Amino acid sequence: MLIRLRKKSDLKESQLTSEDTYLNRRQIIKSLGLSALMLPLAKPLHAALLDIFSDSDSAQSDLQFKRRKLNYIKNSHYDSLSPLTPENKILQYNNFYEFGTGKGDPFEHAQQFKVDPWSLTIDGLVDKPITLNYEDLLKRFTIEERLYRMRCVEAWSMNIPWLGFTLASLLKSVGPKLNAKFVRFETLHDPKQMRGQASRYVGGGIDYPYVEGLRLDEAMNPLTLLSVGLYGQTLAPQNGAPIRLVVPWKYGFKSIKSIVKITLTDTAPINTWQKIASNEYGFYANVNPAVDHPRWSQASERFLGEGNLFSQTRQKTLLFNGYQEEVASLYANLNLQKNY
């Protein structure tokens, strides 16, 4: 099969959207004729619309988590995706089961989340294990802006201006031992702050803390980012504050949020979703339009740009989410059909 390699500069501006916020959620709901009498029957649709659309005034609420402006440099290799998915959509449409399983739950329930103080420990098969505090995350490494595609396994996508530093720069600073082959990541476990961890019903029945993993060569790839912000500011809690993983060629659930521990090992970690349903979620989770999830076709995706529910466009999904040129060599001898 012949696959055309798509370079970073090939992405068209028409596939992306501006930072302008969208203000028409309630008008759209009204236009659907969801009267008070219909709401009990229409609640799933109504709830879905509320998840997708949000008023800008709610995004600017005094109760919202206060983000800090960051100093950063622009990475010229990843600065051509403009305009971008609106900031409000990135803030208000999320999967973060620690705060609930609805797309709007993280925004609604994470605003009082405490990120300072914070400790991130890097240990395991390393020469110099370290623990970083909150300020270390923001100041120890040079922060750069990278505009990346993000593809969810649920067949929707965004384009996001992440701020962060390469995972490779962190790992090099601790000196991986020769027998280190994998990297294990772990999310904060704090049921007092994370309502989904306190209730299996709220948190989707997951055995917390959330765990993810990469091969060491995947972790060292120049694309792999530890993000501390987006849109010029620190991360909001619902997006994984204060630090999260970003692996743009993999489905979004691989990009673990609110990380407190990174451990180098000689064996592959069992990831959270792999543990729950290994027939649906594998270790690799590379974006692949030829391998469907049992519940979602992966051939195409709904891009979340500006505008309302009816203006969202569907586009073909690209192998490795369009980053084939940078990462295909990692899997040259791997059967992508079996190793999903």
Side-chain angles (χ1 to χ4, degrees):
M1 178 175 64
L2 178 64
I3 300 176
R4 176 180 176 267
L5 297 182
R6 187 169 187 173
K7 297 182 180 179
K8 293 182 274 295
S9 58
D10 290 339
L11 198 69
K12 298 178 181 178
E13 288 192 2
S14 61
Q15 295 176 279
L16 304 160
T17 57
S18 71
E19 182 180 354
D20 294 338
T21 58
Y22 52 104
L23 307 174
N24 55 349
R25 175 189 73 182
R26 301 191 188 281
Q27 183 60 40
I28 294 165
I29 294 174
K30 290 178 181 178
S31 70
L32 293 175
L34 299 180
S35 67
L37 292 176
M38 294 174 62
L39 280 175
L41 293 176
K43 186 175 181 180
L45 175 59
H46 181 255
L49 288 169
L50 290 177
D51 279 343
I52 296 173
F53 303 112
S54 56
D55 294 328
S56 60
D57 56 354
S58 67
Q60 301 301 322
S61 168
D62 290 339
L63 298 178
Q64 188 178 356
F65 178 86
K66 303 301 182 184
R67 296 160 65 200
R68 289 170 49 177
K69 290 186 178 180
L70 292 174
N71 295 319
Y72 60 92
I73 61 174
K74 292 181 178 288
N75 188 312
S76 60
H77 294 290
Y78 306 102
D79 66 352
S80 62
L81 306 191
S82 178
L84 298 167
T85 297
E87 185 175 11
N88 271 8
K89 287 188 179 179
I90 298 171
L91 293 176
Q92 299 184 48
Y93 193 84
N94 295 282
N95 284 325
F96 199 175
Y97 281 18
E98 281 81 350
F99 296 102
T101 58
K103 293 293 187 290
D105 284 345
F107 177 79
E108 181 178 354
H109 298 288
Q111 300 310 309
Q112 303 305 311
F113 187 65
K114 302 295 189 296
V115 299
D116 188 12
W118 193 269
S119 292
L120 171 61
T121 298
I122 301 90
D123 62 10
L125 298 176
V126 298
D127 294 326
K128 298 172 288 184
I130 58 173
T131 296
L132 304 177
N133 62 32
Y134 179 71
E135 292 299 326
D136 289 333
L137 301 180
L138 303 181
K139 298 177 180 178
R140 188 182 182 99
F141 301 93
T142 300
I143 296 176
E144 58 184 62
E145 181 183 67
R146 296 189 179 195
L147 314 185
Y148 279 172
R149 305 176 187 91
M150 192 284 290
R151 173 61 153 79
C152 180
V153 73
E154 297 168 348
W156 55 268
S157 63
M158 294 182 176
N159 293 303
I160 301 175
W162 297 110
L163 301 175
F165 52 91
T166 62
L167 176 56
S169 62
L170 174 60
L171 296 181
K172 288 176 182 178
S173 73
V174 298
K177 293 183 180 296
L178 291 178
N179 56 334
K181 304 298 180 184
F182 297 90
V183 185
R184 180 185 184 275
F185 305 86
E186 185 175 308
T187 291
L188 174 72
H189 187 253
D190 187 349
K192 291 183 178 180
Q193 291 201 83
M194 295 172 151
R195 62 194 290 268
Q197 293 180 345
S199 166
R200 291 184 63 81
Y201 174 77
V202 173
I206 291 175
D207 183 18
Y208 293 104
Y210 193 90
V211 171
E212 260 303 339
L214 296 173
R215 287 188 337 207
L216 183 58
D217 58 346
E218 294 177 315
M220 298 296 286
N221 186 278
L223 277 177
T224 307
L225 200 67
L226 285 173
S227 175
V228 295
L230 57 82
Y231 265 120
Q233 300 182 71
T234 53
L235 290 172
Q238 63 269 25
N239 297 117
I243 188 165
R244 63 169 290 164
L245 184 67
V246 177
V247 193
W249 71 92
K250 295 179 180 288
Y251 293 116
F253 67 85
K254 293 292 290 185
S255 293
I256 185 171
K257 304 176 180 74
S258 301
I259 305 170
V260 294
K261 194 172 185 180
I262 299 174
T263 303
L264 277 73
T265 76
D266 57 358
T267 57
I270 302 299
N271 306 329
T272 291
W273 284 109
Q274 186 183 12
K275 181 179 179 180
I276 293 172
S278 60
N279 62 316
E280 296 186 10
Y281 302 93
F283 175 81
Y284 287 96
N286 292 321
V287 176
N288 189 343
V291 179
D292 286 339
H293 185 279
R295 282 173 282 148
W296 301 285
S297 168
Q298 301 302 328
S300 66
E301 64 207 54
R302 175 171 56 93
F303 176 71
L304 300 185
E306 67 179 8
N308 59 45
L309 176 67
F310 306 104
S311 64
Q312 306 302 312
T313 60
R314 292 204 71 85
Q315 58 191 27
K316 290 184 178 180
T317 292
L318 303 174
L319 183 61
F320 299 117
N321 204 24
Y323 296 99
Q324 184 174 355
E325 184 178 353
E326 294 94 331
V327 302
S329 61
L330 295 173
Y331 312 104
N333 299 313
L334 192 70
N335 186 322
L336 298 179
Q337 297 280 342
K338 293 182 178 180
N339 296 278
Y340 50 86

